[in-house]
Amino acid sequence: ETGVTQTPRHLVMGMTNKKSLKCEQHLGHNAMYWYKQSAKKPLELMFVYNFKEQTENNSVPSRFSPECPNSSHLFLHLHTLQPEDSALYLCASSLPGLNSGNTIYFGEGSWLTVV
Amino acid sequence: AQKVTQAQTEISVVEKEDVTLDCVYETRDTTYYLFWYKQPPSGELVFLIRRNSFDEQNEISGRYSWNFQKSTSSFNFTITASQVVDSAVYFCALNNEKLTFGTGTRLTIIP
């Protein structure tokens, strides 16, 4: 069983819908991440949270809105998405401070299809 | 700037053959960390190994082994006696202040 769980695993939404992806980690970490994986593209880091504070936003469109209520939970709120936003969204967590070589652990991902 | 190159996009081998996945990295830092992850069709990225830049010893874990060569900036991954369950996309990654992934190698083991 993975230490990082994501729900839902699969989501189909229309362009005018509002939905949310949820991530929960059971590893006692204080850093959490959202990554996007599109077909034939490298993994893209979207957001980073350290101790519930957003520390990185890689120029992600505002139709993606993250929320981190505590160090164990991370959400990605989705609103008026485009078909090109269809991808696998991966949540991850680690101990804070990647320059210390802390390992990032990933969830199983949420497969999102925008129609 | 950091960069990770996995030149092999796709590899197919027959079951029980050995296979090596290549990873070449670029960084100006003297302290860094290298990782391999496995991504089966289910989607989860499974952590396989972490190696720091000061430890050039090769590592073996069952059928898996890793060859870290700082002189050539490579961190290659070998699967011995491959099995169908090894079929997945494998990612090499470099970590200093952020985790930089390669584009992955899709490995297919043919029964």
Side-chain angles (χ1 to χ4, degrees):
Chain A
E1 186 178 318
T2 178
V4 181
T5 55
Q6 291 186 238
T7 55
R9 293 295 321 282
H10 298 270
L11 177 63
V12 179
M13 61 185 289
M15 289 190 282
T16 57
N17 291 160
K18 283 186 183 181
K19 297 285 185 184
S20 296
L21 306 180
K22 179 183 174 183
C23 175
E24 182 174 0
Q25 59 94 1
H26 312 276
L27 300 170
H29 293 158
N30 284 299
M32 295 190 78
Y33 312 80
W34 280 115
Y35 281 83
K36 176 183 177 182
Q37 187 177 27
S38 305
K40 303 191 177 179
K41 281 188 177 180
L43 275 152
E44 302 171 56
L45 177 64
M46 300 174 72
F47 301 103
V48 180
Y49 278 82
N50 280 284
F51 297 96
K52 302 188 299 178
E53 300 298 319
Q54 187 181 117
T55 53
E56 193 160 344
N57 175 341
N58 276 329
S59 304
V60 180
S62 59
R63 58 186 184 270
F64 295 92
S65 174
E67 179 190 359
C68 189
N70 55 61
S71 292
S72 298
H73 293 85
L74 184 65
F75 295 87
L76 188 63
H77 303 299
L78 314 170
H79 178 49
T80 59
L81 295 192
Q82 304 298 311
E84 58 265 28
D85 296 322
S86 299
L88 176 66
Y89 289 85
L90 288 156
C91 176
S93 72
S94 74
L95 292 173
L98 290 186
N99 56 359
S100 300
N102 292 315
T103 300
I104 294 182
Y105 293 91
F106 288 83
E108 291 177 303
S110 294
W111 294 91
L112 173 67
T113 302
V114 181
V115 296
Chain B
Q2 300 186 154
K3 186 178 178 183
V4 176
T5 301
Q6 294 180 256
Q8 304 152 308
T9 307
E10 296 190 29
I11 301 176
S12 294
V13 299
V14 176
E15 196 174 18
K16 298 184 184 174
E17 286 185 356
D18 299 347
V19 58
T20 295
L21 309 182
D22 298 332
C23 174
V24 174
Y25 62 92
E26 294 176 30
T27 180
R28 284 181 241 172
D29 298 308
T30 54
T31 302
Y32 51 89
Y33 299 84
L34 294 161
F35 299 79
W36 275 96
Y37 287 86
K38 173 183 180 180
Q39 188 176 38
S42 60
E44 180 186 4
L45 273 165
V46 178
F47 164 70
L48 295 178
I49 189 171
R50 179 186 80 170
R51 178 52 51 106
N52 77 55
S53 53
F54 297 107
D55 182 1
E56 288 193 69
Q57 282 196 359
N58 292 330
E59 181 155 340
I60 298 175
S61 175
R63 296 183 298 106
Y64 295 172
S65 62
W66 290 269
N67 183 355
F68 176 30
Q69 294 203 343
K70 226 168 167 178
S71 59
T72 54
S73 296
S74 65
F75 186 43
N76 296 337
F77 172 31
T78 298
I79 301 175
T80 304
S82 59
Q83 300 176 3
V84 172
V85 293
D86 296 326
S87 296
V89 181
Y90 290 85
F91 291 92
C92 179
L94 169 66
N95 184 4
N96 185 7
E97 292 186 0
K98 60 183 290 187
L99 192 61
T100 300
F101 284 91
T103 49
T105 298
R106 180 177 299 278
L107 175 64
T108 302
I109 309 299
I110 303 165

